[in-house]
Amino acid sequence: MTDQNATELHVRIGQVKIGRPGQTLTAILGSCVGIGFFLKSRDIYGLAHCLLSKSTGALRDDGSGRHVDQAIASLLSLMEVQEDERRQLRVVLAGGANMSMPLDTPPEQLVGTINAKFARKTLRSAKLRLLDDDLGGTNGRRITIDCATGDYEILSIPRLEGAQT
């Protein structure tokens, strides 16, 4: 899928990174949500690795990706997305898995479910176009964005045998 000579930029928890042709953006996700931004008209792409859903303070464009709402503001700022470009912007979501699934906790109260639901809601509120999502379940995921082609891949990471659920 990706160019073997491309520079891989690994996006860790709480980070937001942008990429251009010759680079790939990638993140390994569990209950965290990955938010991929695609602005093909300018060959610029972004990926955020969000640990939690809603931030408690005022939104800033400081490059933070710890919270979903903050990450969206950071991606728009870092990519310098103009108001008239928002219709061209495409978004992909991945992650939001419930990795532990404790038997005494309803799934809708687990962080993965909360993150996934909030990410979809926040994108709708921001009037951003969701191209695809792969959210929920109990498996982790790896998202990779090829910044040369604009292609992306979301791979499921199977649970280990004997993993407690």
Side-chain angles (χ1 to χ4, degrees):
M1 181 212 124
T2 59
D3 178 359
Q4 297 300 328
N5 296 319
T7 302
E8 183 175 271
L9 303 174
H10 188 78
V11 184
R12 299 187 193 318
I13 294 174
Q15 290 185 327
V16 175
K17 293 187 180 180
I18 60 170
R20 298 202 177 266
Q23 299 174 317
T24 61
L25 297 166
T26 188
I28 305 293
L29 307 161
S31 60
C32 292
V33 169
I35 305 172
F37 272 26
F38 301 73
L39 192 53
K40 288 187 177 188
S41 63
R42 286 201 287 120
D43 280 331
I44 188 168
Y45 304 86
L47 183 59
H49 188 154
C50 308
L51 179 65
L52 299 169
S53 56
K54 185 171 177 52
S55 59
T56 56
L59 294 181
R60 305 171 317 274
D61 58 0
D62 63 357
S64 173
R66 185 171 175 82
H67 297 90
V68 168
D69 54 354
Q70 183 62 57
I72 291 170
S74 293
L75 283 165
L76 290 169
S77 176
L78 288 171
M79 292 173 64
E80 299 177 349
V81 177
Q82 303 302 310
E83 196 62 38
D84 63 337
E85 292 177 307
R86 280 179 168 243
R87 290 183 47 81
Q88 300 168 32
L89 188 66
R90 299 296 181 262
V91 182
V92 173
L93 298 174
N98 295 312
M99 302 300 290
S100 60
M101 289 296 290
L103 297 176
D104 61 344
T105 305
E108 64 274 3
Q109 294 178 0
L110 295 172
V111 69
T113 301
I114 293 167
N115 285 346
K117 184 176 178 180
F118 187 78
R120 285 185 180 123
K121 177 183 169 189
T122 305
L123 286 176
R124 276 193 306 274
S125 295
K127 295 185 169 90
L128 296 174
R129 190 173 296 183
L130 184 61
L131 175 65
D132 191 12
D133 71 41
D134 187 1
L135 297 164
T138 57
N139 289 338
R141 292 171 180 82
R142 176 185 172 110
I143 182 171
T144 303
I145 300 171
D146 183 334
C147 301
T149 64
D151 293 334
Y152 68 95
E153 183 174 52
I154 302 170
L155 296 174
S156 179
I157 301 172
R159 297 177 68 81
L160 297 174
E161 283 297 317
Q164 301 222 349
T165 58

